[in-house]
Amino acid sequence: MSSQPTWDAVDAYFSEQLVGHDPVLERATAAADAAGLPKIAVAPNQGKLLHLLALTQGAKRILEVGTLGGYSAIWLARALPADGTLLTLELDPRHAEVARDNLAAAGLAGVAEVRVGRAADSLAELVEQAARGAEPFDLVFIDADKPSNPEYFRRALQLTRPGSLIIVDNVVRGGAVADAASIDPTVVGTRALHDLIAAEPRVTATSVQTVGSKGYDGFTLARVRG
């Protein structure tokens, strides 16, 4: 028997109790749905988790790889101090347009920048800027195409500092991540990511399985060592 109805009910309970109704976020979800964007944004309680992690981190500069409609960007940007900034990278111009509108409606247009293009290209440009003295990011949230996760993580390491936090979403793949024989590109990329992390002395990391309204999945947390 599927546990999905139970997962949905528990997520709804915790979201009602601990997140509450938020007209800005609800508008962002409605706008993304009206524009036909994929329904793959983080759940409200997961967005609150990102917010709390950014607050705990004391993040002043946040980088997000994969914007979609800007839902998670709103959660992250709300955790920034008055002089903080968020840069979020999006491949699809239509998604970026929805995200910019949602961020503006949230009063965050002056805080969050949506940059359009291949994330690999944008990240390479950011690495060049870092080499010229640009400040590192305190938190990086990676939630884009899974086959590219190893590359995104390598770039994140070049763009962070000791003490920075890197979060990678959707790493469990419904349990398929444990299948070494899988030829699914999303699984292959996710396993390659964790091979990379396991061999990387510059980080300490763990992965957490989750169940909820978004199904069975999970995320990886990696802290850059001092």
Side-chain angles (χ1 to χ4, degrees), residues 19-66:
V19 179
H21 293 288
D22 188 313
V24 169
L25 289 167
E26 290 165 5
R27 177 199 179 281
T29 298
D33 290 345
L37 272 59
K39 295 179 181 293
I40 55 174
V42 299
N45 53 340
Q46 294 169 341
K48 184 70 174 287
L49 174 62
L50 291 173
H51 178 80
L52 291 173
L53 288 170
L55 284 174
T56 302
Q57 184 69 8
K60 291 182 65 176
R61 280 173 52 82
I62 297 176
L63 173 64
E64 179 181 52
V65 183

Side-chain angles (χ1 to χ4, degrees), residues 1-8 212 215:
M1 179 178 176
S2 172
S3 298
Q4 188 65 52
T6 301
W7 300 345
D8 291 350

Side-chain angles (χ1 to χ4, degrees), residues 58-78:
K60 291 182 65 176
R61 280 173 52 82
I62 297 176
L63 173 64
E64 179 181 52
V65 183
T67 312
L68 196 62
Y71 185 85
S72 54
I74 292 172
W75 273 113
L76 288 166
R78 282 177 167 181

Side-chain angles (χ1 to χ4, degrees), residues 5 8 19 38 53 88 90 95 102 107 119 124 142 156 161 170 174 186 197 201 213:
D8 291 350
V19 179
L53 288 170
T88 180
E90 175 55 46
H95 294 183
N102 283 333
I142 300 172
R161 56 168 177 79
N170 305 130
T186 67
I197 293 174
S213 60

Side-chain angles (χ1 to χ4, degrees), residues 69-158:
Y71 185 85
S72 54
I74 292 172
W75 273 113
L76 288 166
R78 282 177 167 181
L80 290 166
D83 58 345
T85 58
L86 179 143
L87 173 62
T88 180
L89 311 180
E90 175 55 46
L91 175 64
D92 190 314
R94 188 167 59 90
H95 294 183
E97 182 180 353
V98 173
R100 288 192 183 108
D101 181 64
N102 283 333
L103 286 161
L108 297 166
V111 175
E113 175 191 350
V114 182
R115 189 169 298 182
V116 179
R118 292 181 65 248
D121 296 336
S122 295
L123 290 168
E125 292 173 2
L126 290 171
V127 169
E128 291 180 3
Q129 293 170 13
R132 296 195 298 268
E135 292 184 22
F137 291 95
D138 305 304
L139 185 148
V140 179
F141 178 48
I142 300 172
D143 189 13
D145 60 303
K146 310 313 171 187
S148 299
N149 272 345
E151 179 178 5
Y152 297 156
F153 190 86
R154 289 189 191 95
R155 292 301 195 184
L157 275 178
Q158 295 176 283

